Amino acid sequence: MRIRSDITLHRRAELVLFRVDECTYLVELRFWSVILVTVQIDRIRLVTVPVELSAPLRTSDGIHKSREATLIEITDSQGYVGWGENVAPTGVHYVGESHQDSVQTMRDQFIPLLVSREVAVEEMDRNGWWGTEAFNFAKHALESAVWDLHARKENTSLKNILGGQLDSIVVGVVVGMSDTIDEVVAECVQRRNEGYRRIKIKISPGHDIEVVRQVRAVLGDEYLLQVDANGAYTVEHIEHLNQLDAFNVQFIEQPFAHDDIDSHIALARQGRVRVCMDESISSRKDLEQMLDLGACSVVNIKPSRVGGIGEAVAMHNIVRARGVDAWVGGMLETGIGRASCLAVASLPGFTMTPDLSASRRYFARDITDPFEMHDGEIRVPKGPGIGVVPAPDILASDAIRIETVFER
Ligand code: MG
């Protein structure tokens, strides 16, 4: 028997013609066949934009007054353009990846890999696609630009492609550390009056219980309040941290170092304050492991930290299936990164308020049209792709640097 394989599959094709000897057969497939749409990349540019924060943000790893936004612009052979953003923090090593190292890795390692392949974005989250487990921020920056391009080609929003359900999202805001408790309290009141319905306070040893006590006193018992330690505590602080239970704190985020799993398990098992993990979970493998160990009952999923939108969606599917509370964290993204985070945050398994505040919370002027908050909510962009692009006058500004890294 000879079988000729002149079979054309269309996206979601159900019928296939094939020929055996002189007879033609029409066969109904019993499964859905999906051909992955591939992207052929013609040009990649790195666009570096200096942005001033609207107010300094002090966390346990330093004071942040400004940052350099690194945008990635990918153009395909049909002229479609996708935008991504590398949000690896400037000046600090965040779980081993500084902004400088991250951008260099994109330029020297990942972009040559990307342009050597026909790219199907759905495959990019697979283990091994990038050839390394490191440099998640760099992977995410490029992958998110391909997602934007992919959705624009399909003429639909990233939210729709990912299966997002919310058109508008209740968002939270982070209040950093200050020199005095009064300053923290004043900022919390200001943010609540701006319309935020949830506040997360940064804490560290010496700047914790009394701060939370005073903030809770002015915000009232029902207001949603969380704390984030960015790994500033050690196992000796467990009893101290349990005092937070008296102030109806929704959870404590990343109390211990990212690799101090035993202390997280110890705190989580005492059951008085819920434990959320951020820096400890960088992949779906980490996620499954931490949940199996009982190290946390809430998860902060940042698409940039976990290496891409695809990985974030896969992790969302895990927490949803296991009934675990989760939310989308932010990394001081400009409008480019914020737009794609909002699309991810619109997925139904994200049960808690994300750290995705309005543009004015972060920047004197955003790179895109600003994201505004109304009644405590921000709308998820509806336009094709991520629904926003950098403002033309910003792209034309003398202050930015544009580097063509690849051109076919
Ligand atoms: Mg955090």
Side-chain angles (χ1 to χ4, degrees):
M1 180 186 289
R2 291 178 292 112
I3 298 180
R4 243 169 61 190
S5 59
D6 50 347
I7 296 172
T8 302
L9 284 175
H10 290 283
R11 196 170 218 211
R12 294 176 185 160
E14 285 183 285
L15 300 176
V16 171
L17 279 172
F18 71 96
R19 204 167 170 81
V20 179
D21 294 331
E22 300 307 312
C23 301
T24 299
Y25 297 87
L26 180 65
V27 176
E28 182 180 353
L29 294 180
R30 297 300 179 100
F31 53 87
W32 290 92
S33 296
V34 178
I35 290 181
L36 298 175
V37 176
T38 58
V39 171
Q40 186 183 341
I41 295 169
D42 268 14
R43 188 178 74 177
I44 299 181
R45 300 197 300 178
L46 299 185
V47 181
T48 309
V49 189
V51 283
E52 295 300 315
L53 299 178
S54 53
L57 178 66
R58 188 166 89 180
T59 66
S60 57
D61 60 11
I63 296 175
H64 308 273
K65 292 180 178 172
S66 65
R67 61 178 290 250
E68 235 180 22
T70 302
L71 308 181
I72 296 88
E73 178 210 57
I74 297 182
T75 306
D76 83 347
S77 56
Q78 295 173 290
Y80 288 96
V81 176
W83 288 93
E85 180 175 1
N86 187 318
V87 292
T90 307
V92 294
H93 277 260
Y94 183 94
V95 193
E97 185 174 353
S98 72
H99 192 82
Q100 191 180 10
D101 291 346
S102 188
V103 172
Q104 190 174 334
T105 301
M106 284 199 305
R107 186 188 288 114
D108 298 344
Q109 188 175 333
F110 290 161
I111 289 176
L113 183 70
L114 191 61
V115 300
S116 69
R117 298 176 172 183
E118 286 235 315
V119 176
V121 74
E122 294 92 338
E123 295 183 336
M124 293 178 77
D125 66 312
R126 288 186 185 166
N127 291 337
W129 200 94
W130 296 98
T132 174
E133 300 229 334
F135 294 103
N136 278 351
F137 288 97
K139 292 177 197 169
H140 164 264
L142 294 164
E143 186 243 28
S144 58
V146 178
W147 272 110
D148 182 31
L149 195 157
H150 175 73
R152 288 178 196 270
K153 281 170 81 94
E154 299 281 302
N155 195 30
T156 189
S157 67
L158 180 60
K159 180 199 114 176
N160 284 344
I161 286 221
L162 299 180
Q165 294 183 358
L166 297 174
D167 293 329
S168 188
I169 295 175
V170 175
V171 295
V173 67
V174 178
V175 172
M177 285 180 266
S178 297
D179 291 333
T180 68
I181 296 177
D182 286 348
E183 287 173 4
V184 177
V185 171
E187 185 177 349
C188 288
V189 170
Q190 178 196 336
R191 300 303 178 199
R192 181 196 60 187
N193 293 346
E194 287 171 0
Y196 287 102
R197 298 190 218 167
R198 184 277 269 161
I199 288 174
K200 188 171 81 179
I201 307 171
K202 294 285 186 180
I203 61 169
S204 65
H207 181 94
D208 45 28
I209 307 301
E210 185 57 20
V211 179
V212 174
R213 190 186 71 75
Q214 294 194 30
V215 168
R216 173 56 81 198
V218 297
L219 294 182
D221 290 340
E222 301 304 316
Y223 193 88
L224 275 183
L225 192 60
Q226 305 162 348
V227 294
D228 185 1
N230 290 105
Y233 294 88
T234 59
V235 69
E236 291 79 26
H237 293 103
I238 285 183
E239 212 31 59
H240 177 74
L241 290 172
N242 267 324
Q243 295 176 65
L244 292 167
D245 186 47
F247 307 110
N248 191 24
V249 171
Q250 199 175 28
F251 56 71
I252 177 169
E253 180 175 340
Q254 199 67 44
F256 311 109
H258 72 94
D259 55 354
D260 184 3
I261 307 307
D262 288 345
S263 296
H264 284 93
I265 294 171
L267 182 60
R269 282 190 180 157
Q270 294 192 24
R272 285 167 56 190
V273 183
R274 292 185 80 186
V275 175
C276 173
M277 275 184 156
D278 178 359
E279 290 90 337
S280 293
I281 297 179
S282 295
S283 65
R284 70 192 92 168
K285 186 175 150 200
D286 292 342
L287 174 63
E288 297 267 26
Q289 191 178 15
M290 292 306 120
L291 294 179
D292 289 346
L293 287 169
C296 64
S297 59
V298 182
V299 186
N300 174 354
I301 297 175
K302 293 172 176 164
S304 55
R305 182 172 44 67
V306 303
I309 290 171
E311 187 70 14
V313 171
M315 292 169 73
H316 158 274
N317 295 340
I318 291 170
V319 292
R320 193 178 186 208
R322 294 181 65 148
V324 173
D325 284 321
W327 51 283
V328 173
M331 292 292 301
L332 296 183
E333 290 91 352
T334 70
I336 295 294
R338 190 158 312 272
S340 65
C341 281
L342 283 164
V344 174
S346 71
L347 291 165
F350 288 116
T351 52
M352 287 186 168
T353 316
D355 274 349
L356 300 170
S357 309
S359 294
R360 73 173 63 173
R361 164 65 183 86
Y362 304 104
F363 307 113
R365 187 194 164 187
D366 207 336
I367 287 172
T368 62
D369 284 344
F371 283 91
E372 312 270 8
M373 181 175 63
H374 301 285
D375 297 327
E377 299 187 8
I378 295 181
R379 295 198 67 79
V380 183
K382 283 185 173 172
I386 59 173
V388 295
V389 292
D393 66 306
I394 284 189
L395 287 182
S397 158
D398 290 340
I400 72 164
R401 300 193 307 275
I402 298 181
E403 176 192 357
T404 302
V405 181
F406 169 80
E407 192 149 30
R408 198 173 293 282

